[in-house]
Amino acid sequence: MVIEVSDVWKRFRLREDRVDGFAKLMVRMFLSQKRINRPSDFWALREINFSVPDNTSFGIVGVNGSGKSTMLKLLTGTMKPTKGHIRVKGRKSSLIELGAGFHSDFSGRDNVYLNGLILGLSKADIRKRFDEIVDFAELEEFIDVPVKYYSSGMQARLGFAVATAVEPDILIVDEVLAVGDMNFREKCMTKIMQMQAKGVSVVLVSHGLGDVERVCQRAMWLDHGRMMAYGPATEVVSAYSRWIQ
Amino acid sequence: MGLVNIKESTFEAHDREHRHSFESRYEVFIRYRDLISGLALRDVKMRYQLSILGLYWAVLNPLLMAIIWSFVFSTILGAKGMEGVPYVVFLFCGMTFWNLFANSLNTATTSLTGNASLLSKLYFPRVILPTASVLARVVDFCFSMIVLIIFMLAYHVHPSSRVVLIPLFLVIELIFTLGMAYIVASLNVLYRDVGQMIQLILLLWMYLSPVFYPIQHIPANIRRYFILNAVGELVGLQSSVILGGQFPGWHVAFYAAIISVGVFTAGITVFHRLEPLFAEVM
């Protein structure tokens, strides 16, 4: 199993009582022995159980606000579950937001290096793969231009190229394919499929149900933070699309 | 109370982290050394490449301060610096070492909050961000150091033979600075006014450190309390060996080192305690 998620719950404290300032903190220290505003708990995920076997890909479907992105954030490790355990085996790379770490004042070249480092590559690794990255992003002429002059499509291409150059064992993809034109989408899909063929597991969140069926063997449907269905991708997707209609 | 809530909510989630081996917390610095230096370099570049007055921060600022303050303190108020050293050189020297600490803390404060979008989207050990922002200030320090050397040549100030100890003292100062940086950076994520508070604290702290006066001028009956001010003592030690003044003694360096390691450990602990909250709060 590359990913094992057992009985994961995620709670958000909608912190009405978050202390935003020092004065407030002082006031609270002296005034409120019992809390004036009880924090309202919001369970973004409840009782999530699933596993992704080696060499398979997993899809997550659901309407907006169903907990899909929270699940991905738990998988990437930017958030920790409130309860339960998540085991992720191998190097992961995420396409949660393409070019998330880009700094607009710096050139594409500088950003490729920094983004690669953030994703866990060493400087030598990036140097080796640099040409390949620039080639995939089709940015040879513009690589020394500050990223702020790039179009959003160019930024997305560069972000995708860096994230996939990491050669991850697990690729986490969140709706990113929605940006960019048809050509770019197709190119990304092809790249994702190639990576799958090499044994990379993909975790895909998408509104494009076709994408989930095309890429994933197994899937899960989330609604209000609960699992509504879990199993072979085609069955989950068809159950979900029946429900939407 | 708000604070207590936050701690409660992280407990279960953080449980596993706590059992993490002690080692892995420090391994991060080695495994991610390329990223740390890359981020530090970006920080430096941003300052020197993208601003017209890039060098202003490192050189012009302490230089102007030293000139104005030496006019006020020495010319007007008649303060004495280190014996045989012009007051302005003494002051600039103290400020060079003090600013390494103060500017590091200032930039480390916003190192996490300023990268909120990055933190909520990609995972990498967060401790890297404040570390890199402290390292970036070492570059500023080097520029300031060059100016100090020019000053010393111009005024014929000679260092003592103990000047070879400077790297050691610098390492201790950096350990102290990093520990403090982890604390303020992580607290600032939860409470944004830490940034404003730290400005005030640093100003008061500077007056309590031997920047404007040599450590020997502190009245003997309160001198022993100053040993608790590790960064102040380090500034004193460094000034004394560079300007050829009276060496405060090995025990001073020893205490400063002990305190620095303690602050560093506390800083890392606080940081790792608060880390799980970052993505949620930002």
Side-chain angles (χ1 to χ4, degrees):
Chain A
M1 295 293 166
V2 279
I3 298 175
E4 274 185 278
V5 173
S6 43
D7 195 27
V8 159
W9 297 61
K10 178 66 189 176
R11 174 183 58 197
F12 287 114
R13 284 247 142 109
L14 306 177
R15 284 197 193 95
E16 296 154 21
D17 72 336
R18 221 198 104 204
V19 185
D20 288 310
F22 188 68
K24 249 186 179 171
L25 173 72
M26 282 296 152
V27 168
R28 233 165 250 294
M29 269 201 210
F30 295 114
L31 284 188
S32 59
Q33 289 303 326
K34 60 173 197 271
R35 291 172 211 135
I36 301 166
N37 301 316
R38 292 210 125 251
S40 41
D41 285 355
F42 171 73
W43 289 96
L45 290 172
R46 299 162 195 254
E47 233 192 315
I48 305 294
N49 283 288
F50 70 89
S51 55
V52 181
D54 292 17
N55 289 319
T56 61
S57 292
F58 191 74
I60 304 177
V61 295
V63 295
N64 285 340
S66 56
K68 303 185 302 283
S69 294
T70 305
M71 192 62 240
L72 284 197
K73 284 184 176 172
L74 294 176
L75 290 178
T76 54
T78 53
M79 282 186 188
K80 301 263 185 284
T82 309
K83 265 194 246 172
H85 290 281
I86 294 178
R87 193 172 308 143
V88 179
K89 202 177 72 188
R91 172 138 72 175
K92 57 201 173 208
S93 179
S94 55
L95 298 174
I96 287 194
E97 189 181 302
L98 290 176
F102 283 174
H103 195 292
S104 57
D105 283 323
F106 289 107
S107 66
R109 181 185 304 274
D110 287 348
N111 274 304
V112 165
Y113 272 92
L114 209 65
N115 221 241
L117 290 172
I118 290 171
L119 292 170
L121 291 177
S122 72
K123 239 188 240 165
D125 289 335
I126 302 168
R127 209 169 298 132
K128 236 186 313 175
R129 292 166 205 181
F130 189 79
D131 291 338
E132 191 192 318
I133 292 170
V134 176
D135 193 46
F136 185 89
E138 300 168 23
L139 284 171
E140 287 86 350
E141 301 163 61
F142 305 108
I143 198 65
D144 288 311
V145 172
V147 163
K148 64 181 163 194
Y149 299 123
Y150 284 19
S151 69
S152 53
M154 286 158 89
Q155 285 197 30
R157 290 207 301 270
L158 195 60
F160 186 90
V162 178
T164 50
V166 172
E167 292 183 5
D169 301 304
I170 301 160
L171 185 67
I172 297 168
V173 187
D174 183 13
E175 304 282 7
V176 281
L177 303 180
V179 297
D181 51 24
M182 278 300 286
N183 281 336
F184 175 66
R185 271 181 62 96
E186 246 347 277
K187 199 171 169 179
C188 292
M189 270 317 220
T190 315
K191 178 80 182 179
I192 288 174
M193 306 275 220
Q194 278 170 6
M195 291 171 78
Q196 275 186 310
K198 282 191 223 156
V200 175
S201 289
V202 178
V203 177
L204 178 71
V205 163
S206 183
H207 285 300
L209 298 175
D211 290 344
V212 173
E213 277 182 305
R214 205 169 139 195
V215 173
C216 308
Q217 287 80 47
R218 295 174 69 73
M220 143 174 106
W221 161 23
L222 288 179
D223 190 58
H224 288 96
R226 291 176 200 275
M227 292 172 74
M228 303 288 281
Y230 168 56
T234 43
E235 286 174 31
V236 172
V237 166
S238 66
Y240 174 59
S241 43
R242 269 201 309 280
W243 181 78
I244 295 182
Q245 286 153 15
Chain B
M1 198 183 80
L3 270 172
V4 175
N5 280 335
I6 291 163
K7 274 183 201 146
E8 279 168 2
S9 69
T10 62
F11 243 71
E12 298 150 342
H14 216 187
D15 198 32
R16 267 194 305 174
E17 218 77 341
H18 273 218
R19 270 180 255 139
H20 256 219
S21 71
F22 200 62
E23 258 187 327
S24 66
R25 276 188 188 176
Y26 298 97
E27 265 172 21
V28 167
F29 298 112
I30 298 165
R31 205 146 47 86
Y32 284 87
R33 59 185 184 281
D34 280 355
L35 179 56
I36 294 174
S37 58
L39 284 168
L41 221 72
R42 181 181 82 167
D43 191 314
V44 172
K45 255 193 181 172
M46 214 140 55
R47 208 163 258 200
Y48 295 102
Q49 186 180 302
L50 301 175
S51 61
I52 309 168
L53 285 176
L55 273 172
Y56 162 83
W57 295 103
V59 175
L60 220 58
N61 185 25
L63 198 62
L64 287 175
M65 292 292 210
I67 291 168
I68 298 294
W69 277 338
S70 80
F71 171 71
V72 172
F73 286 105
S74 171
T75 315
I76 296 181
L77 296 173
K80 292 270 182 300
M82 208 173 275
E83 227 168 289
V85 180
Y87 191 79
V88 69
V89 180
F90 166 74
L91 189 56
F92 189 80
C93 178
M95 284 176 60
T96 299
F97 293 105
W98 171 260
N99 281 341
L100 174 60
F101 167 70
N103 292 343
S104 291
L105 272 204
N106 261 330
T107 42
T109 312
T110 51
S111 62
L112 294 168
T113 44
N115 284 302
S117 69
L118 187 59
L119 293 184
S120 61
K121 268 145 209 154
L122 293 171
Y123 182 75
F124 58 94
R126 275 66 174 99
V127 77
I128 283 171
L129 285 171
T131 309
S133 68
V134 169
L135 274 193
R137 299 287 78 77
V138 175
V139 177
D140 296 351
F141 167 81
C142 291
F143 282 118
S144 188
M145 204 62 200
I146 292 170
V147 177
L148 176 63
I149 292 169
I150 294 170
F151 250 122
M152 288 171 65
L153 291 172
Y155 282 96
H156 305 289
V157 177
H158 302 289
S160 80
S161 60
R162 287 208 175 91
V163 75
V164 292
L165 292 172
I166 284 290
L168 174 71
F169 295 152
L170 271 180
V171 168
I172 301 174
E173 186 179 342
L174 280 176
I175 289 172
F176 183 86
T177 305
L178 283 170
M180 289 294 296
Y182 299 146
I183 296 173
V184 294
S186 53
L187 282 181
N188 192 50
V189 176
L190 303 184
Y191 309 109
R192 296 298 155 94
D193 42 8
V194 168
Q196 269 118 30
M197 230 146 68
I198 205 72
Q199 304 268 354
L200 178 67
I201 291 171
L202 282 173
L203 186 67
L204 300 178
W205 199 335
M206 179 171 67
Y207 283 105
L208 288 176
S209 302
V211 176
F212 297 107
Y213 46 86
I215 214 145
Q216 287 79 13
H217 287 195
I218 301 166
N221 55 336
I222 53 169
R223 170 71 182 86
R224 62 200 155 105
Y225 299 113
F226 277 72
I227 206 111
L228 293 173
N229 178 7
V231 70
E233 291 289 357
L234 284 163
V235 170
L237 281 163
Q238 292 171 120
S239 296
S240 77
V241 298
I242 278 213
L243 302 176
Q246 192 189 342
F247 189 64
W250 280 108
H251 67 288
V252 174
F254 178 74
Y255 285 125
I258 299 275
I259 293 172
S260 299
V261 170
V263 166
F264 183 81
T265 316
I268 290 249
T269 310
V270 168
F271 195 93
H272 282 274
R273 277 284 179 123
L274 298 178
E275 191 176 347
L277 292 174
F278 295 167
E280 286 170 41
V281 175
M282 285 198 283

